[in-house]
């Protein structure tokens, strides 16, 4: 589901496997485990890069898992919602800079997962960013919405979310959703590595970096309950 | 530390003196006194332009003043934090349009002071805008962060604050942080004068202008406690 490596003082988390890299409790737990390891070793590296193999970065929540048994649909839906929020919290609480090197389609929860990272680098010729919720007809809770509102400029917010527009990398760059565009997966990852090494030379105090991220995004900090002692009861039940 | 003049129906406040025009209680009080005079006479002029002589607009808080005596470090830190917030409040409560004519380096608190103004005109060839806090490893309180979040578009927020990027005038213009770029100090000030005279001809109701500024930036109004009767106890103790 994912693999973690350390290369040249940078952690690289790769979303892997067949298919759309959908997020369910098992795949989320595997990512959370990797992110916990990254955080424990944040002082040793310059950044985390999250990337993917195959055609998909991630197409979001595993709705098939939710609907697997009709009698469990409601409880599975709740569980997956909570796990997904836990995933966003983990990304926002990373004690180091984070870059999503998007080398494939990212829609809905997969797109939001990429938005939760500090920066997004994207491959020009494969994949688009797409907030599919309006087409599927589902709602987005305020805690998750706060990430979208904090990272997508007001100029493009309506089109991204209410318009369900599909953004190729060049469109996303123009809209300020993605920070840079690269020719292929290799170059995208390399650019993310170069940026990470450059940030590493700044020798930032990681705890200060985290606090600055929290204060930079107060709506997310409040609504996702970041770093609160005895976090929101909803999340601490997991 | 600063001088105030009235020219062609425009107030010009010049941050002056040797060095980096650092902000400490003495220099802040001198600016506050000038701003109070501006506000008392706002009905007679079209705008306030804040500019600088020398190589620096302002490099922010005077940390040397804070650390002058180790036994007073904590209390001086608190005092300076409160005085600085008082300065931002005074700029946000100006009863007339404000333009920062930035003709030198502006970093950290100096950059934020410039952001608190309605507009920024900048000299092309001298100085950069730089949020140095991430490099120094210090945090920014929510009240002050609200100014940054309100004036820097979400597209550039992460790079400005978490990335600690240094913006030359052309870069700042491209990022929407600065409204126009000019060849030298004289032209920057002249452009600010021209803009002020132009605004003066609009004959704006100054009280309405102020209320519009408050409502345009509700997060700042709330977090800095603008114009509240019996303001936040923290600030009213000064």
């Amino acid at each position: 589901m994912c693999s973690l490596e350390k290369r040249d003082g940078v952690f690289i988390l790769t979303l892997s496997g067949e298919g759309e890299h959908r997020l369910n409790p098992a795949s989320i737990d595997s990512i959370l485990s990797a992110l916990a390891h990254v955080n424990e070793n944040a002082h040793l590296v310059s950044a985390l890069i999250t990337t993917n193999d195959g055609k998909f970065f991630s197409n979001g929540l595993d709705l098939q898992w939710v609907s697997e048994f009709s009698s469990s649909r409601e409880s599975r839906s709740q569980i997956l919602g909570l796990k997904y929020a836990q995933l966003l919290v983990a990304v926002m609480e990373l004690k180091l800079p984070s870059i999503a090197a998007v080398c494939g389609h990212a829609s809905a929860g997969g797109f939001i997962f990429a938005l939760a990272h500090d920066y997004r680098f994207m491959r020009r010729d494969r994949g688009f960013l797409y907030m599919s919720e309006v087409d599927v007809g589902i709602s987005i809770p305020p805690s998750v919405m706060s990430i979208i509102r904090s990272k997508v400029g007001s100029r493009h917010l309506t089109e991204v979310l209410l318009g369900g527009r599909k953004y190729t990398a060049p469109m996303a760059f123009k809209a300020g959703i993605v920070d840079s565009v690269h020719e292929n997966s290799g170059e995208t990852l390399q650019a993310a590595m170069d940026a990470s090494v450059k940030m590493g030379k700044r020798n930032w105090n990681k705890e200060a970096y985290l606090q600055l991220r929290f204060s930079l995004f107060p709506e997310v900090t409040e609504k996702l309950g970041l770093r609160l002692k005895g976090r929101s009861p909803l999340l601490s039940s997991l």
Side-chain angles (χ1 to χ4, degrees), chain A residues 134 148 152-165 167:
Chain A
V134 66
I148 303 168
V152 177
S154 52
R155 176 174 190 163
H156 299 278
L157 209 44
T158 296
E159 207 154 61
V160 168
L161 196 93
L162 289 183
R165 176 177 254 207
Y167 289 80

Side-chain angles (χ1 to χ4, degrees), chain A residues 11 34-43 90 93-96 210:
Chain A
F11 272 121
L35 295 181
H37 180 85
V38 168
N39 249 5
E40 275 156 39
N41 295 281
H43 55 289
E93 289 188 354
L94 282 166
K95 291 179 190 165
L96 77 182
L210 182 58

Side-chain angles (χ1 to χ4, degrees), chain A residues 76-98:
Chain A
R76 283 197 171 197
S77 181
Q78 269 198 322
I79 286 168
L80 188 51
L82 291 173
K83 291 303 290 182
Y84 182 70
Q86 208 179 3
L87 177 64
L88 296 181
V89 167
V91 176
M92 289 298 293
E93 289 188 354
L94 282 166
K95 291 179 190 165
L96 77 182
S98 58

Side-chain angles (χ1 to χ4, degrees), chain A residues 148-198:
Chain A
I148 303 168
R149 287 167 38 74
S150 298
K151 301 301 188 90
V152 177
S154 52
R155 176 174 190 163
H156 299 278
L157 209 44
T158 296
E159 207 154 61
V160 168
L161 196 93
L162 289 183
R165 176 177 254 207
K166 288 177 181 171
Y167 289 80
T168 60
M171 290 166 70
F173 174 73
K174 205 159 173 240
I177 296 166
V178 136
D179 299 284
S180 61
V181 176
H182 308 275
E183 298 313 302
N184 52 50
S185 295
E187 286 191 26
T188 307
L189 183 59
Q190 189 56 49
M193 288 292 298
D194 294 344
S196 300
V197 167
K198 223 170 147 187

